Structure formats: structure tokens, C-alpha cells
Amino acid sequence: MSNGREFFDKIASQWDSTRAVDSKKIAALVEMVGLEPGFSVLDAGSGTGVLLPFIKKAIGSAGKITAVDFSANMLAKAEEKYGSLGGISFAVGDIMEFVPGHGVFDAVLCFNFFPHIMDKQKFMTHIRVLLREGGFLVLMHDISRQQVNAIHQDSEAVKNDRLAPGETVSGWLTTAGYQVTQIIDAEDRYFIKAVKS
Ligand SMILES: C[S@@+](CC[C@H](N)C(=O)[O-])C[C@H]1O[C@@H](n2cnc3c(N)ncnc32)[C@H](O)[C@@H]1O
């Protein structure tokens, strides 16, 4: 874990110039999430905040966002870029130790983040506690699973951070007490939505 944190701290200053952002595709993914005005949303592994303006647009001024990341450097970039949007709390820390209260979020979004979690079953159980009844967890990537795994394979720090097939992850979510409502494991994106039931 600390290895990962050091890695992301080191690459934070280049992240936005190396990460291709296809705004249309990200907007389409966020549209699929089904956020509503006034929602309280956790952006887990927020990084430099790529997703924040899209979430903000969907939930409006009545909504609240909590951006959590264990890399202080990544999150500092996010705050610098989007702190002025308002309604966003920035929390540096390991998501596995983040406990703001029970049932406090309507939605938890993991954008290009889920493979970096080591104990995935524990993560799902942990997030379930943070969600309200009927709230949902979304695991999504703006590239394919194969691309995610190829990128990670080339980097010593994250080479074991694999993204499993959608059907496999869906099985884990069901075991953790979610109802999986959508699985897309396609050649240009990955999207799983699971409702706390
Ligand atoms: C691949 S980056 C994605 C960042 C952003 N969501 C994006 O799509 O550009 C993954 C992020 O997750 C963070 N991260 C990894 N493991 C974490 C953990 N256990 N708790 C909190 N943040 C974590 C990293 O610091 C990094 O910023």
C-alpha cells in the first residue's frame, strides 16, 4: 500500500499531461451512473480530480462530494483545480480507513481506481457500510479491462493491480450484499453498478 502511495505521489505532477481525458466519454459514463441533484457522492481514489466537475454538474449546488485519495500530491492538484467549485471536501487517507459515518453516501464512484485495492472483498463490505440503503457503488474505467491490465503490467509499482472480468467482480459484489444492476466489460470501457440491497 505505502508503495502505491509513493508511486502516485511521484507521478502526481505529470498525471494530467499523461492521462488522456475524453470528456464526452467521461460524461457518458457519469450519465449512466444515474446521479441526482442533491446527492452526496464519494469519489474514491479521486486522484487529480478528473471526475469532480462531471459529478458536480450532475448533483448541482445542493449536492456534496467527498474526494478521498491516499496521495497528498494527487489530491492537492484536485483541490487546486476544483476547490473553487464549492461543495467538495478533500480528504487525504486510505479509503479502507475512511469512516465518515454509516449510510452517509448516496453513491460511491471508483473511476480507474478499483484495481489498486488489494483486499477487494473487504473494500466492498467497507463501502457498503458507508452507503445508504438503495445507494450504489460504481466501478468504472474509460478504457477496456485489457488496456488497464496492460498499462499496469508495464509498471513495477502497480503490476499486480489487476482488473478482473466483469462477471467475476459481479460475483464478489453479490457475495458482499449488493444487487448488481449493470455490467459492461467492453473494448472501450468497463462499468459495473451495484446497489446496496
Ligand atoms: C489510477 S489513479 C486514478 C485517479 C483518478 N480517479 C483518475 O481517473 O484520473 C488511482 C488513484 O487512487 C489512489 N489510491 C490508490 N489506492 C488507494 C487507497 N487505498 N486509498 C485511497 N486512494 C488510493 C492513488 O493515489 C491514485 O490517485
Side-chain angles (χ1 to χ4, degrees):
M1 278 293 182
S2 62
N3 230 3
R5 183 173 17 234
E6 280 161 28
F7 170 75
F8 283 110
D9 265 339
K10 262 192 207 133
I11 63 169
S13 59
Q14 303 117 51
W15 185 259
D16 286 339
S17 53
T18 52
R19 186 202 191 293
V21 172
D22 179 342
S23 295
K24 263 180 129 176
K25 193 191 269 187
I26 299 175
L29 285 167
V30 172
E31 176 82 28
M32 282 164 58
V33 171
L35 297 173
E36 291 174 25
F39 263 19
S40 180
V41 180
L42 170 62
D43 180 11
S46 184
T48 61
V50 172
L51 206 56
L52 295 175
F54 297 90
I55 301 173
K56 180 75 186 173
K57 194 171 172 207
I59 64 174
S61 53
K64 287 193 195 113
I65 307 174
T66 305
V68 174
D69 201 292
F70 69 8
S71 161
N73 292 353
M74 291 289 258
L75 209 59
K77 286 261 166 210
E79 187 160 12
E80 185 186 308
K81 282 157 56 190
Y82 299 120
S84 62
L85 289 179
I88 309 177
S89 313
F90 297 87
V92 176
D94 190 326
I95 194 72
M96 303 301 279
E97 285 154 25
F98 181 68
V99 190
H102 285 209
V104 293
F105 294 110
D106 298 296
V108 176
L109 308 190
C110 300
F111 186 43
N112 302 313
F113 168 66
F114 184 61
H116 301 299
I117 292 295
M118 294 300 105
D119 190 338
K120 294 182 170 59
Q121 200 76 61
K122 193 171 166 194
F123 170 76
M124 290 169 178
T125 306
H126 174 57
I127 293 299
R128 195 174 178 282
V129 173
L130 307 185
L131 283 168
R132 67 158 163 86
E133 206 61 38
F136 43 84
L137 168 63
V138 174
L139 311 174
M140 59 185 187
H141 293 261
D142 54 352
I143 52 178
S144 71
R145 171 167 53 85
Q146 290 78 4
Q147 284 172 296
V148 170
N149 289 333
I151 292 168
H152 289 181
Q153 198 163 351
D154 282 348
S155 170
E156 190 55 34
V158 294
K159 69 175 187 210
N160 296 319
D161 300 1
R162 315 288 297 171
L163 183 58
E167 289 297 339
T168 304
V169 175
S170 171
W172 299 339
L173 285 160
T174 305
T175 302
Y178 295 83
Q179 188 190 352
V180 177
T181 58
Q182 199 167 4
I183 309 170
I184 299 173
D185 187 349
E187 55 187 36
D188 69 335
R189 68 196 65 194
Y190 184 98
F191 182 97
I192 299 182
K193 181 170 177 176
V195 180
K196 175 174 174 175
S197 54

